[in-house]
Amino acid sequence: MQALLVVLLSGLFAAAAWANEGGSNLEIVTLSNRADLISGGDALVEVRVPKQVSLSAVKVELNGHDITSSFKTDAAARTLRGLVTGLVDGRNDLVAEADGKGKGKDDGKEVRLTITNHPIGGPVLLGSQTQPWVCATPTGTAESGNTPASNPSGLTTFATDAQCNIATEFHLFYRTKTAACAFVLPDPSPTTTAPTPANSCFQPYVPGVTSPDLVASTTTSNGVTMPYIVRVERGTLNRGIYDIAVLFDPTKPWTPTAPQAQWNGKLLYTFGASTGQPRQQFRSEQNWVIAGITGTNDDSALRLGFMVADNSLTDSLFNSNRVLNAETLMMMKEHIVDTYGEIKYTMGNGCSGGSIQQNTAASIFPGLLDGIQPACDFPDSITTGLEVTDCVLLVNFYAGPDWTALMTGAGLTQAQINAKKAAINGHLDQVGCQQWNNQFGFNNKPGNFVPLLVNNQVTGTLAPSGAPRNNCRLPAALVYDPVTNPNGTRCGDADLSTAVWGTTANENAPGSVRARVTGDNVGIQYGLNALLAGKITAEEFVTLNEKIGGFDTDFNRRAARTTADRPALDIAYRAGIVSSGKNLGKLAIIDSRGWDEQGIHYIWRSFAERARIEADNHGDHGNQVMWRYGTGLLPGTPAQIAAVTVKSFLTMDSWLSNLNASAPKETINSVRTHTQVIAGKPAAAVDFCFLLADTTFSTPVFDMAACDANAPQADGLGRLAKRASPRQVAGGPLTENILKCRLKPLNPVDYAPVTFTSAQWARLQAVFDDGVCDWSERGVGQRRARSPLTFADGPGGEPLPRAPESHPGHGHDHDDDHDHGHGHDHDHDHDD
């Protein structure tokens, strides 16, 4: 032990002496990602060389093999930079040695960096991948018996392994000079001889064949004028199918150490909408044209020299595992750096589920995104699900006998009944909850089901609709059934993420397991504020809370309330899956919010995100700006697109360029502070709205009170005003981030001036025998995010350790440079 201590101390003294020479130590840095999160077998690496060492004297070895020839020297920067290839899965030892000066290996002129490589098919942050997973095929195949269907990949070859890796393909397209064209999918396909629509603005480009006279030109943001030719790379990564598009000169090479000049180094990443849990490999719903531009019939990003990218696993429709979304984004960025060169910044965009993917990626792994543009915003999916499940319960209650008897007995008109529903729901009218039920009310179903849909939006009546289906999109016989197939594939939302949540015993099918869940409505007093405002009666309030019920672990409605699994609550907050206001405060946000108060995209969601940012940043939300308009969910005309979508893109570009100048990032995924982000805001990054009558979006209004009051609706609130959710009507906060509330005893004083009969009070006490929600307290399990977490060692996750750094070498292996474990969570601010 004493001898070992002497060795360790001597190593430390040597390292200290080397550092004291004034920046005289060699250093190895991975540029594409942390050294312990590398994937795909390659990494862009920089060796930083002290001024007293000749660049030509530096030798680089990978796992004992000389790879110096892979590096290019930069005399001005005193660096060697190269793409290190041939990394094996697991540990790799990269060594840089200052040779040729007669020095020995023990004098500090050698440094080592341990690189941990993961398969290109994943996982990296997750410890396991969801199974089964059906690989896409070139043309797609129909379901046959118990053989699942496959989706068309948009690639010409088949997967080569169980991780659905398919050979990468590259295609060239040119922008036509035709003004009257459409930005539609110009997608090569082996099933058709004319894959590109004739009216597409982009047509296939064949070097030496396509006439230059047909090709438009463009000038990029960094001043390069060139023919408007785009190269699209399509491949597979982390079991998703991706597209990467960028302006390209087919006569010149492109390497990560020498990118073509027209790329401005900026990445626009588009996230897909909706939400789903299929067990199939898809190609992205965001084709590269629509994904890479900033609005319908506008190609601002591509023509200005931005790279644009997407992946089917960052489309919420194809992946509702939010950690997998963040992992895929991380791997995509690494692949881009390793293939094309360093990224200056990464900007996100996307609507609805695309906003969820942006927000949760920023919360789960801060630094992956530098700025986001959530349209139709939801802060995250797990708290959006609170409103979905509450609405499913409510629409079923309204259609049931107890509510019907109350309404009939009171002799109310349908309009009066619907006004009561709206007051309980918190929405403009009764339609909102009905839309939640119909569109996403069955995402938690683990087995085969027939949707029970509202078939009359006025009366709210329900009826089964369509054939049986499942969320996995698998043959029915392969899917969970509590009686006939208890160990079949479970297809609910949480079941896609068992690597995050872990599993527990399935009460409905003894001997089987299910994913842990966060859903809970114990103690919630539905309709509380509607009662206090006189919009529903005491009897209606009592009956509502008696009969609302909840869900069992297979998402069947039941009389008892829903109860969360306590470990899942802790994970949701620690991992940042409930989007953290602290983490959202560390990046630039431009929130563009259209009108969909009779759908599912409610204005209050943008303000909920703002409230979370304020709560975690001393009341300040300066990093988030909000642009509102009342004409529809998204801008629809060229003038509207220019005034919102394109303006957002250009403003975000200015904002992130300012940040690159004022607060440069140390590494590709390092994080800025809230103060730094606000300091970089351009003048255009301010709140405004367009009033309803301004259909050309020509006059922005900066008076938020005027915006809120514009075009009053049937409920007396302005069209752009924020309304509420069922949980906010129940007394919950605007942040809507309490998954399970703490309880307090029933107290008649809390209902003044409303009074209950003794019988009604006894019924309330029976419903809330453990108490009602105390919204003044933090939720059960609610704590600050500890993200980023790694789930490599299993569900629950642990904070990532300090990123590996190169350390002085002594001619033999040293493991003391970083923690090979996953750290320990010393978070003492949780509730317990």
Side-chain angles (χ1 to χ4, degrees):
M1 178 64 72
Q2 185 175 4
L4 175 61
L5 179 61
V6 171
V7 170
L8 290 175
L9 288 174
S10 65
L12 289 173
F13 291 146
W18 186 255
N20 288 336
E21 293 179 25
S24 59
N25 52 313
L26 286 169
E27 184 181 6
I28 307 173
V29 177
T30 51
L31 300 176
S32 48
N33 202 356
R34 289 171 48 127
D36 54 347
L37 300 178
I38 297 297
S39 61
D42 53 18
L44 187 62
V45 171
E46 183 173 86
V47 180
R48 298 168 183 172
V49 183
K51 60 185 178 181
Q52 73 274 18
V53 175
S54 171
L55 293 176
S56 62
V58 177
K59 175 182 175 182
V60 184
E61 289 185 351
L62 173 66
N63 297 331
H65 301 286
D66 190 338
I67 60 168
T68 310
S69 61
S70 301
F71 286 77
K72 292 183 178 180
T73 60
D74 184 332
R78 301 292 305 165
T79 61
L80 282 73
R81 182 175 290 195
L83 183 67
V84 174
T85 61
L87 297 170
V88 300
D89 288 348
R91 176 175 177 143
N92 295 265
D93 293 306
L94 190 63
V95 179
E97 179 185 357
D99 202 4
K101 283 195 167 188
K103 301 288 186 179
K105 288 188 176 181
D106 291 331
D107 64 358
K109 295 298 190 293
E110 175 187 293
V111 290
R112 293 172 171 260
L113 177 65
T114 299
I115 296 177
T116 305
N117 178 60
H118 305 78
I120 193 64
V124 180
L125 295 174
L126 294 168
S128 62
Q129 295 177 311
T130 302
Q131 297 294 342
W133 197 260
V134 183
C135 300
T137 55
T139 60
T141 59
E143 182 178 308
S144 178
N146 290 338
T147 301
S150 67
N151 298 302
S153 64
L155 293 160
T156 58
T157 60
F158 289 82
T160 59
D161 56 29
Q163 286 188 298
C164 299
N165 288 311
I166 307 173
T168 303
E169 298 178 10
F170 299 90
H171 300 280
L172 298 173
F173 297 88
Y174 71 93
R175 175 68 162 87
T176 69
K177 294 180 178 179
T178 305
C181 61
F183 289 104
V184 295
L185 178 64
D187 190 29
S189 169
T191 63
T192 174
T193 57
T196 304
N199 68 332
S200 174
C201 299
F202 288 91
Q203 295 291 327
Y205 178 87
V206 181
V209 175
T210 303
S211 170
D213 295 336
L214 299 175
V215 182
S217 65
T218 187
T219 299
T220 67
S221 63
N222 53 358
V224 177
T225 299
M226 65 176 293
Y228 196 157
I229 300 170
V230 175
R231 189 180 80 168
V232 180
E233 175 189 347
R234 174 166 294 163
T236 51
L237 178 149
N238 209 20
R239 306 195 303 179
I241 299 174
Y242 68 82
D243 285 330
I244 298 170
V246 68
L247 290 172
F248 191 80
D249 184 344
T251 68
K252 296 179 181 178
W254 189 321
T255 69
T257 55
Q260 291 189 6
Q262 69 276 3
W263 181 36
N264 58 21
K266 302 171 183 179
L267 174 62
L268 173 62
Y269 198 102
T270 294
F271 297 83
S274 192
T275 196
Q277 302 82 39
R279 303 305 176 88
Q280 299 171 328
Q281 184 184 44
F282 286 80
R283 56 154 300 177
S284 174
E285 60 174 330
Q286 308 298 308
N287 73 72
W288 65 266
V289 177
I290 303 302
I293 63 179
T294 57
T296 305
N297 289 336
D298 180 86
D299 58 345
S300 295
L302 282 170
R303 65 181 170 82
L304 289 177
F306 279 72
M307 179 178 290
V308 299
D310 57 49
N311 186 302
S312 57
L313 288 184
T314 55
D315 288 350
S316 188
L317 177 63
F318 304 136
N319 172 36
S320 63
N321 180 338
R322 309 307 168 181
V323 176
L324 178 58
N325 166 62
E327 177 184 78
T328 302
L329 173 61
M330 178 188 72
M331 295 174 69
M332 284 289 294
K333 288 180 61 178
E334 183 197 335
H335 171 71
I336 289 169
V337 174
D338 291 342
T339 307
Y340 296 92
E342 285 193 278
I343 298 169
K344 289 182 179 178
Y345 65 68
T346 304
M347 175 199 305
N349 68 7
C351 166
S352 192
S355 72
I356 289 173
Q357 299 291 57
Q358 291 177 81
N359 286 319
T360 52
S363 178
I364 290 168
F365 202 123
L368 289 180
L369 292 164
D370 300 296
I372 59 176
Q373 301 167 89
C376 345
D377 190 30
F378 298 102
D380 57 61
S381 60
I382 203 163
T383 59
T384 300
L386 302 177
E387 186 173 41
V388 178
T389 54
D390 287 343
C391 280
V392 172
L393 293 173
L394 287 165
V395 297
N396 278 274
F397 167 74
Y398 298 144
D402 301 286
W403 176 261
T404 301
L406 285 174
M407 299 300 100
T408 302
L412 301 179
T413 66
Q414 190 63 55
Q416 291 172 320
I417 294 170
N418 288 342
K420 288 180 179 289
K421 292 179 182 179
I424 294 166
N425 300 349
H427 301 155
L428 171 63
D429 54 32
Q430 81 285 355
V431 175
C433 263
Q434 294 168 181
Q435 290 293 331
W436 270 133
N437 178 86
N438 287 7
Q439 294 187 42
F440 295 102
F442 307 93
N443 275 357
N444 289 324
K445 286 286 189 182
N448 299 298
F449 65 93
V450 175
L452 186 65
L453 303 182
V454 175
N455 61 5
N456 186 312
Q457 295 297 325
V458 176
T459 64
T461 56
L462 291 156
S465 178
R469 66 200 69 180
N470 60 72
N471 291 312
C472 293
R473 304 195 194 187
L474 292 175
L478 304 183
V479 171
Y480 165 83
D481 183 278
V483 177
T484 63
N485 194 11
N487 291 308
T489 300
R490 290 180 62 92
C491 301
D493 182 81
D495 299 309
L496 191 68
S497 309
T498 55
V500 175
W501 304 117
T503 59
T504 189
N506 180 8
E507 300 89 336
N508 288 346
S512 66
V513 297
R514 61 171 176 83
R516 293 173 177 145
V517 294
T518 60
D520 196 283
N521 69 341
V522 174
I524 292 178
Q525 300 183 82
Y526 290 98
L528 175 62
N529 288 339
L531 169 71
L532 298 178
K535 295 180 179 180
I536 62 174
T537 67
E539 180 60 28
E540 290 163 355
F541 174 75
V542 174
T543 303
L544 167 62
N545 284 286
E546 275 184 320
K547 303 298 183 179
I548 189 70
F551 298 98
D552 69 12
T553 55
D554 285 345
F555 206 66
N556 302 306
R557 286 186 298 111
R558 67 182 187 188
R561 299 288 183 110
T562 310
T563 304
D565 295 305
R566 173 54 194 271
L569 300 175
D570 294 333
I571 295 166
Y573 292 112
R574 291 174 68 250
I577 300 170
V578 173
S579 282
S580 155
K582 193 72 172 178
N583 288 344
L584 290 176
K586 297 175 182 177
L587 76 166
I589 303 175
I590 299 178
D591 179 318
S592 59
R593 167 60 74 182
W595 192 85
D596 189 34
E597 296 296 296
Q598 291 180 308
I600 60 172
H601 303 93
Y602 310 129
I603 290 168
W604 71 263
R605 292 283 180 181
S606 296
F607 288 92
E609 184 161 318
R610 174 166 290 186
R612 293 189 195 183
I613 294 170
E614 290 174 340
D616 286 344
N617 292 280
H618 309 290
D620 189 279
H621 65 260
N623 69 298
Q624 183 221 33
V625 299
M626 200 183 304
W627 298 353
R628 288 180 284 164
Y629 49 94
T631 54
L633 180 61
L634 291 168
T637 68
Q640 292 172 353
I641 291 166
V644 173
T645 318
V646 177
K647 181 180 175 66
S648 172
F649 164 70
L650 296 174
T651 302
M652 183 61 73
D653 180 33
S654 296
W655 196 342
L656 299 183
S657 296
N658 291 347
L659 283 175
N660 274 4
S662 63
K665 298 178 73 168
E666 295 180 3
T667 66
I668 184 174
N669 294 328
S670 59
V671 184
R672 295 186 173 98
T673 67
H674 183 68
T675 301
Q676 288 172 331
V677 174
I678 294 172
K681 286 174 65 173
V686 294
D687 289 354
F688 66 77
C689 77
F690 294 109
L691 302 182
L692 183 60
D694 182 11
T695 57
T696 61
F697 289 8
S698 57
T699 308
V701 173
F702 302 99
D703 180 348
M704 291 299 98
C707 293
D708 293 341
N710 181 236
Q713 303 294 288
D715 63 351
L717 295 177
R719 191 174 180 88
L720 297 180
K722 66 178 184 293
R723 290 170 175 82
S725 70
R727 297 213 175 190
Q728 290 167 50
V729 175
L734 174 59
T735 53
E736 193 103 334
N737 58 358
I738 293 178
L739 301 178
K740 180 179 179 64
C741 67
R742 294 189 178 280
L743 303 177
K744 64 179 181 179
L746 274 171
N747 187 340
V749 173
D750 294 336
Y751 303 92
V754 176
T755 59
F756 299 95
T757 67
S758 58
Q760 289 171 338
W761 188 252
R763 289 159 58 197
L764 270 185
Q765 288 178 313
V767 172
F768 298 114
D769 54 341
D770 289 328
V772 296
C773 288
D774 183 352
W775 299 109
S776 68
E777 296 287 338
R778 289 171 24 152
V780 176
Q782 189 171 7
R783 60 200 298 183
R784 73 175 187 266
R786 300 286 291 171
S787 50
L789 303 186
T790 173
F791 298 83
D793 287 343
E798 294 289 346
L800 278 170
R802 181 171 56 90
E805 298 177 355
S806 59
H807 62 88
H810 300 284
H812 50 80
D813 274 348
H814 282 273
D815 289 338
D816 56 349
D817 62 314
H818 67 282
D819 182 2
H820 286 271
H822 300 295
H824 300 281
D825 186 2
H826 298 295
D827 185 4
H828 298 296
D829 70 337
H830 57 282
D831 57 273
D832 288 340

